[in-house]
Amino acid sequence: MKTCLHTLATLVLTLATMLCAVPTHAEDGYDLWLRYHLLAPEQAKLYRDHATEIIIGSATPTQIVTRDELQRGLHGLLGNTLPLSDTVTHDGAIIVGTSASSPLIAKLQLDTQSIGNEGYVIRSVVLDGHTATAIVGRSDIGALYGAFHFLRLLQTGQPIDHLDLHESPRITLRVLDHWDYLNGQVERGYAGTSIWDWWKLPDWRAPRYTDYARANASIGINGTVLNDVVSGATILTPVYLEKVAALADVFRPYGIRVYLSVRFSAPIEIGGLKTADPLDPQVQAWWRAKADEIYKLIPDFGGFLVKADSEGQPGPKDYHRTHADGANMFADVLAPHGGVVMWRTFVYSQASADDRAKQAYEEFKPLDGQFHANVLLQTKNGPIDFQPREPFHPLFGAMPKTPLMMEFEITKEYLGFATHLVYLGPLYEEVLSSDTMVRGKGSTVAKVIDGSLEGHTLSGMAGDANIGTDRNWCGSDFNQANWYVFGRLAWNPTLSSRTIAEEWVRMTFTNNEAFVKPVVDMMMGSREAAVDYMTPLGLLHLMGPGHHYGPAPWDASESEADWRPVYYHRADHLGIGFDRTSNGSNAVAQYAPPIAAQFNDVKQTPERFLLYFHHVPWDYRMRSGQTLWYELVAHYTRGVDDVKQMQETWRHLDGYIDEERYQQVAAFLAIQEKEAQWWRDACIAYFQSISGLPLPPGYAPPQRSLKYYESLSFPYVPGFSSW
Ligand code: BDP
């Protein structure tokens, strides 16, 4: 009996020790880039002298969250809790605030004129005979952003002893658009269901909402549209507005304003009116009262996002009014409260036989100058729809009197969903750095959307979020980088996507150079790999109908012509591509003359856009000297090879990071390889059936028959609303 008890006691003891040794939770990606893991001892030692105490006010909610974030971050990174203090007593204080909130900062008399309301200065200073670091904003929010920047310096291993940083956002509205429905589903969501638990709001404010706000504030995102652009009117009912107000309360200390997508016909659906005509006084009065009701609950409410007259949504055209009439109605009811309207230009008529790529421009360009001052036109990066590659949208630069807001898709609807490792930084950068030439050389898309080209003070960038209830938020660890790079580019659209990738890798995984360099290289090449195995050389929209999963270049099943892959590639026995030159749809004419001339000429068109602008014969000679057919097969094959290379890179990195995330990335890369092969083989099989040409020597034939690929069907694809 005694031995028995003894054994039991030993067992309990061993178990208890084991449990203590196991971390409270594994690395599951929840902490995003704000992991704040203990730095290597030599690194932490360098920083400790410059981080001895924190001096910060706690008079406002934002000051409190700034203090908490700094304490949490520095504790995690350096391993000790920094004391809070009111005065500088020794070297190494971190002093945070504004000259209004802190007499010490006022004493420094730093020049903060140029940093604006959300900017900050981080400066190494000497105060009362002691070295210190001052993190100074003109507002509490500026100081919060500065605190996150300071933490990032430590997280990424930067020196902090001679700092003189001045930062301010180049874009006013830096917004995430959630395509979340009130029933919890997420349109084009591949990371679980909606993080907004509408059912339990407003009483239960999940801690996740705070972590969401922290993550966004850390990269400067200052707005969130909570519901899908295809939206019912229910969100505008009093019960739901209270829930919205609860979220706004959580986000407010982090500088994040809440916006809503609104349904144009809401006055009919929940207002009991017979019309939603924007020029009808009763309709206007209904919206005015609704806006007043919202602002009573949420004084800093951001405004409305509207998808009107687009893909079956109601809009002003139902009443023979223009987009300007519709947008201005909302603008007028929001203006007294300081709200804005983000009016989407993603319109194309199913009735029009004209090239879909031209339709938004044709609709909106003539309205330039008619929109009220608080309207932004939210325009997708390309003229079609978030494809792996498209030329920049011709509306950028074409409406000088109207602020154009960029819309990027962060969720990878057309780029492999959750499992494909595709870093979108290079895609965003390619678009932002494109030269529209509307005001001569250097009129980049970035300058159009940050307002500097035409002198607009209102500017914006929206990202269609990839966030859901998955523990890692985004469906995969690497998808977090796309949220991150979106925020960083919204802050400054001229940053390099490589620099941002490196920052993210260091914060998310490790500062170990042997890991950082190959992973950043892999990320930087990943988007081109996806373009190659999906839609090379200017092809686009070859994805499966509706759900957009996998290849279906043969598909002609969709009800609308311009939803069908065959509409886009136009392959026949002679050649392939969409003729958008002056001989074809003349979409090229929507660009500024030098760009139009370039795209109009097959020889001058960059080959990455070749089949977007030109229909060319299969034996067309490419710059390499090879035929188009050869190059097409080569690109598809290269895409698959690149994914194999990514796997190889990753194989060599085992052991540098935690096992959980390492293994998931490895498994997802294997899925990506399988699907890249499928894309290649299905597309080659199909295009070969049209071109009738043999495969170039040395290239493997598709693994299965075209019939097989065509027979595949996927009834339960995530993120697609018609389940
Ligand atoms: C397309 C999506 C669709 C969206 C639409 C939009 O397939 O789900 O509703 O864009 O942006 O990319 O309105």
Side-chain angles (χ1 to χ4, degrees), residues 60-119:
T60 67
T62 300
Q63 288 170 13
I64 292 170
V65 303
T66 309
R67 180 197 67 195
D68 292 352
E69 193 71 31
L70 273 173
Q71 283 209 298
R72 171 189 192 145
L74 293 169
H75 175 86
L77 293 162
L78 304 178
N80 55 307
T81 304
L82 266 63
L84 293 169
S85 164
D86 291 330
T87 52
V88 187
T89 49
H90 43 270
D91 285 352
I94 299 162
I95 309 166
V96 191
T98 66
S99 43
S101 72
S102 156
L104 282 175
I105 285 177
K107 208 157 133 188
L108 284 171
Q109 294 196 318
L110 295 180
D111 179 10
T112 54
Q113 275 312 315
S114 59
I115 59 170
N117 226 5
E118 293 176 299

Side-chain angles (χ1 to χ4, degrees), residues 414-708:
Y414 295 100
L415 284 128
F417 298 2
T419 46
H420 292 210
L421 194 165
V422 180
Y423 172 54
L424 297 175
L427 187 164
Y428 300 162
E429 187 176 6
E430 179 176 299
V431 175
L432 292 166
S433 63
S434 294
D435 199 343
T436 69
M437 298 282 281
V438 288
R439 291 201 176 268
K441 237 178 164 344
S443 312
T444 58
V445 171
K447 285 188 188 161
V448 173
I449 62 148
D450 74 10
S452 61
L453 195 69
E454 307 293 348
H456 294 297
T457 44
L458 189 59
S459 57
M461 188 153 134
D464 302 325
N466 62 353
I467 295 164
T469 46
D470 275 11
R471 189 65 197 158
N472 65 17
W473 301 83
C474 302
S476 83
D477 292 300
F478 275 91
N479 277 348
Q480 298 175 356
N482 294 329
W483 177 4
Y484 185 84
V485 68
F486 166 77
R488 299 285 287 124
L489 286 171
W491 180 272
N492 180 353
T494 66
L495 289 177
S496 109
S497 60
R498 175 176 282 275
T499 310
I500 298 171
E502 185 177 330
E503 252 171 48
W504 176 82
V505 170
R506 289 177 182 278
M507 292 193 282
T508 305
F509 292 113
T510 169
N511 273 311
N512 191 327
E513 304 298 338
F515 181 89
V516 174
K517 169 85 169 69
V519 172
V520 170
D521 285 346
M522 174 171 88
M523 288 168 75
M524 290 306 291
S526 61
R527 183 274 190 135
E528 204 59 44
V531 169
D532 276 340
Y533 63 72
M534 290 181 178
T535 51
L537 297 172
L539 289 172
L540 47 75
H541 224 303
L542 306 185
M543 295 75 189
H547 52 65
H548 302 156
Y549 174 65
W554 49 81
D555 191 79
S557 67
E558 285 276 15
S559 53
E560 310 303 334
D562 52 12
W563 287 351
R564 301 174 189 153
V566 293
Y567 171 89
Y568 291 99
H569 63 67
R570 308 200 159 200
D572 55 27
H573 69 288
L574 296 173
I576 179 171
F578 198 127
D579 185 356
R580 295 195 161 95
T581 69
S582 47
N583 297 323
S585 81
N586 205 22
V588 293
Q590 296 183 336
Y591 291 96
I595 304 283
Q598 189 194 10
F599 290 157
N600 200 42
D601 178 354
V602 70
K603 288 286 164 214
Q604 286 187 56
T605 303
E607 285 184 345
R608 61 181 184 280
F609 296 135
L610 182 66
L611 304 178
Y612 181 87
F613 287 113
H614 303 274
H615 186 84
V616 296
W618 294 106
D619 62 359
Y620 173 80
R621 282 284 148 199
M622 303 289 284
R623 266 161 223 156
S624 63
Q626 302 288 358
T627 64
L628 167 68
W629 170 243
Y630 179 99
E631 285 268 328
L632 195 66
V633 174
H635 274 272
Y636 271 115
T637 308
R638 187 187 312 157
V640 181
D641 290 346
D642 285 350
V643 177
K644 289 184 179 148
Q645 189 52 53
M646 283 156 70
Q647 283 183 294
E648 190 53 27
T649 303
W650 195 250
R651 261 195 288 278
H652 283 103
L653 297 172
D654 195 2
Y656 284 95
I657 63 166
D658 54 286
E659 201 50 18
E660 294 85 354
R661 292 186 299 165
Y662 178 82
Q663 290 302 347
Q664 193 184 57
V665 172
F668 283 9
L669 282 170
I671 297 175
Q672 184 173 7
E673 192 215 322
K674 198 166 67 181
E675 295 188 350
Q677 186 74 48
W678 166 36
W679 263 98
R680 174 209 182 261
D681 288 350
C683 290
I684 291 181
Y686 170 71
F687 288 128
Q688 190 174 27
S689 78
I690 308 273
S691 75
L693 294 167
L695 280 186
Y699 285 93
Q703 293 176 351
R704 312 288 290 257
S705 69
L706 175 58
K707 248 199 162 57
Y708 165 79

Side-chain angles (χ1 to χ4, degrees), residues 183-462:
N183 67 2
Q185 288 175 358
V186 181
E187 166 114 357
R188 312 305 177 182
Y190 313 103
T193 53
S194 173
I195 56 170
W196 318 131
D197 193 344
W198 292 112
W199 193 249
K200 300 196 191 89
L201 280 163
D203 302 318
W204 168 238
R205 301 175 181 198
R208 191 165 194 150
Y209 304 151
T210 305
D211 288 330
Y212 167 85
R214 289 176 51 237
N216 279 324
S218 76
I219 47 176
I221 288 173
N222 67 357
T224 174
V225 184
L226 300 176
N227 59 328
D228 191 44
V229 282
V230 178
S231 150
T234 310
I235 193 83
L236 294 172
T237 58
V239 172
Y240 274 86
L241 288 178
E242 262 195 59
K243 298 169 190 278
V244 173
L247 288 174
D249 287 344
V250 178
F251 302 156
R252 189 166 296 111
Y254 293 91
I256 297 167
R257 285 176 157 206
V258 156
Y259 300 73
L260 291 177
S261 294
V262 296
R263 187 166 170 84
F264 198 83
S265 52
I268 302 174
E269 282 146 30
I270 56 168
L273 299 186
K274 295 224 149 34
T275 174
D277 181 351
L279 299 193
D280 183 303
Q282 274 190 303
V283 172
Q284 294 169 352
W286 188 85
W287 281 112
R288 178 158 293 119
K290 189 49 77 183
D292 293 346
E293 180 189 344
I294 295 174
Y295 278 93
K296 222 175 251 144
L297 288 168
I298 312 165
D300 56 353
F301 180 70
F304 295 149
L305 170 64
V306 193
K307 169 172 176 171
D309 293 318
S310 162
E311 299 185 326
Q313 292 302 295
K317 294 188 119 191
D318 296 339
Y319 307 94
H320 308 289
R321 310 296 185 196
T322 67
H323 283 280
D325 293 329
N328 291 340
M329 172 189 66
F330 290 114
D332 292 350
V333 303
L334 292 165
H337 305 284
V340 301
V341 184
M342 302 179 289
W343 189 268
R344 295 176 94 228
T345 66
F346 181 62
V347 299
Y348 55 94
S349 165
Q350 322 266 269
S352 167
D354 205 357
D355 177 2
R356 171 166 158 187
K358 290 166 62 184
Q359 295 185 25
Y361 178 101
E362 273 167 8
E363 187 83 45
F364 280 91
K365 161 95 179 146
L367 301 176
D368 193 24
Q370 295 185 27
F371 292 94
H372 292 178
N374 55 337
V375 177
L376 298 112
L377 292 187
Q378 184 168 308
T379 300
K380 293 189 178 184
N381 60 272
I384 302 295
D385 190 13
F386 300 136
Q387 296 302 301
R389 171 167 280 133
E390 287 180 56
F392 69 88
H393 201 300
L395 273 175
F396 292 116
M399 298 187 66
K401 298 189 185 123
T402 316
L404 275 250
M405 179 169 182
M406 173 63 75
E407 179 171 345
F408 282 129
E409 193 174 53
I410 307 174
T411 189
K412 302 203 315 295
E413 171 185 358
Y414 295 100
L415 284 128
F417 298 2
T419 46
H420 292 210
L421 194 165
V422 180
Y423 172 54
L424 297 175
L427 187 164
Y428 300 162
E429 187 176 6
E430 179 176 299
V431 175
L432 292 166
S433 63
S434 294
D435 199 343
T436 69
M437 298 282 281
V438 288
R439 291 201 176 268
K441 237 178 164 344
S443 312
T444 58
V445 171
K447 285 188 188 161
V448 173
I449 62 148
D450 74 10
S452 61
L453 195 69
E454 307 293 348
H456 294 297
T457 44
L458 189 59
S459 57
M461 188 153 134

